[in-house]
């Protein structure tokens, strides 16, 4: 997947992206935070290869003011669930798979970002505590948090246990707790 973004004068962020799926090039266009629209064309079709399409894609959209995702300010959201043991239970493993799947879909279809992995284990809390952490890169912190909360609640993925923290992408600052379902202000990675 390759994504470009454009900031409008009113502050809204637009996105356009493409990927290849089942012998077709899929273009997905919209406003960050909202479901976009897709168009599909057969691949390779009029293009010799993906590089030729990518060059055309970049030419079309950079001329309209779009930039590569790497030039956008991004935030890492950490979605955390408590666990009872370091290895996790069947429920923890199921939750990891289902939450990752739901977050990947929600963030992707709304142009917000993507899931970038997870870890499971002991937190830095001096009191022994274990957690499942799912890391997401998003281009809009507020909309990203709203989307995460919405999808976890709607898919019934243990929303009553979740904590969401964030930090800027390109810094080593500590994560700052943004949401706790149990109104608990204590947070350790």
């Amino acid at each position: 997947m390759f994504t470009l973004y454009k900031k409008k004068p009113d502050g809204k962020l637009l996105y356009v992206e493409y990927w290849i799926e089942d012998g077709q090039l899929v273009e997905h266009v919209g406003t960050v935070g909202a479901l976009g629209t897709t168009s599909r064309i057969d691949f390779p079709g009029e293009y010799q290869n993906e590089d030729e399409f990518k060059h055309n894609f970049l030419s079309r959209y950079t001329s309209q003011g779009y930039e590569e995702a790497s030039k956008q300010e991004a935030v890492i959201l950490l979605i955390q669930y408590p666990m009872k043991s370091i290895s996790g239970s069947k429920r923890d493993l199921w939750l990891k798979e289902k939450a990752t799947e739901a977050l990947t879909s929600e963030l992707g279809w709304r142009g917000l970002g993507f899931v970038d992995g997870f870890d499971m284990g002991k937190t830095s809390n001096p009191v022994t505590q274990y957690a499942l952490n799912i890391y997401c890169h998003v281009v809009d912190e507020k909309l990203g948090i709203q989307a995460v909360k919405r999808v976890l609640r709607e898919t019934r993925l243990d929303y009553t246990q979740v904590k969401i923290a964030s930090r800027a992408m390109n810094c080593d600052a500590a994560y700052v707790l943004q949401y706790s379902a149990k109104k608990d202000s204590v947070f350790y990675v």
Side-chain angles (χ1 to χ4, degrees):
M1 182 179 304
F2 184 75
T3 307
L4 300 173
Y5 292 95
K6 175 183 175 179
K7 187 163 253 178
K8 292 175 55 176
D10 65 3
K12 288 189 178 182
L13 195 58
L14 305 177
Y15 66 91
V16 60
E17 58 192 2
Y18 83 86
W19 64 90
I20 298 173
E21 177 181 74
D22 299 329
Q24 292 188 316
L25 278 163
V26 181
E27 277 193 37
H28 182 223
V29 180
T31 302
V32 168
L35 292 175
T37 59
T38 58
S39 61
R40 296 173 178 266
I41 60 170
D42 289 334
F43 181 75
E46 63 187 80
Y47 302 98
Q48 298 297 316
N49 54 40
E50 184 178 355
D51 288 338
E52 185 180 337
F53 176 79
K54 184 176 181 179
H55 178 72
N56 175 278
F57 181 85
L58 277 167
S59 178
R60 280 186 289 144
Y61 289 105
T62 55
S63 67
Q64 297 176 40
Y66 283 83
E67 298 178 316
E68 290 187 47
S70 62
K71 295 182 180 173
Q72 295 299 312
E73 291 182 25
V75 173
I76 300 173
L77 294 183
L78 187 158
I79 293 83
Q80 186 178 79
Y81 289 101
M83 297 188 326
K84 292 182 180 168
S85 71
I86 195 161
S87 59
S89 64
K90 283 184 178 181
R91 171 237 171 237
D92 297 329
L93 298 172
W94 174 87
L95 186 59
K96 172 190 66 87
E97 292 300 321
K98 294 301 180 185
T100 298
E101 185 180 293
L103 291 167
T104 297
S105 179
E106 182 74 7
L107 297 176
W109 285 113
R110 294 183 182 276
L112 282 161
F114 59 93
V115 175
D116 189 34
F118 70 93
D119 61 37
M120 298 171 84
K122 188 177 182 311
T123 67
S124 61
N125 189 340
V127 176
T128 302
Q129 179 185 22
Y130 305 103
L132 161 62
N133 297 316
I134 301 173
Y135 300 91
C136 302
H137 292 218
V138 297
V139 293
D140 186 299
E141 181 178 29
K142 181 181 174 188
L143 293 175
I145 291 169
Q146 289 173 354
V148 166
K149 288 166 56 176
R150 180 180 55 252
V151 74
L152 295 179
R153 183 175 48 250
E154 289 174 359
T155 55
R156 299 179 185 199
L157 291 170
D158 216 353
Y159 178 74
T160 61
Q161 299 294 316
V162 74
K163 289 184 179 181
I164 303 171
S166 67
R167 72 171 188 165
M169 177 74 74
N170 296 323
C171 77
D172 289 332
Y175 283 94
V176 176
L177 183 63
Q178 302 294 338
Y179 175 79
S180 174
K182 291 192 170 189
K183 308 297 183 220
D184 177 9
S185 62
V186 176
F187 181 78
Y188 292 94
V189 178

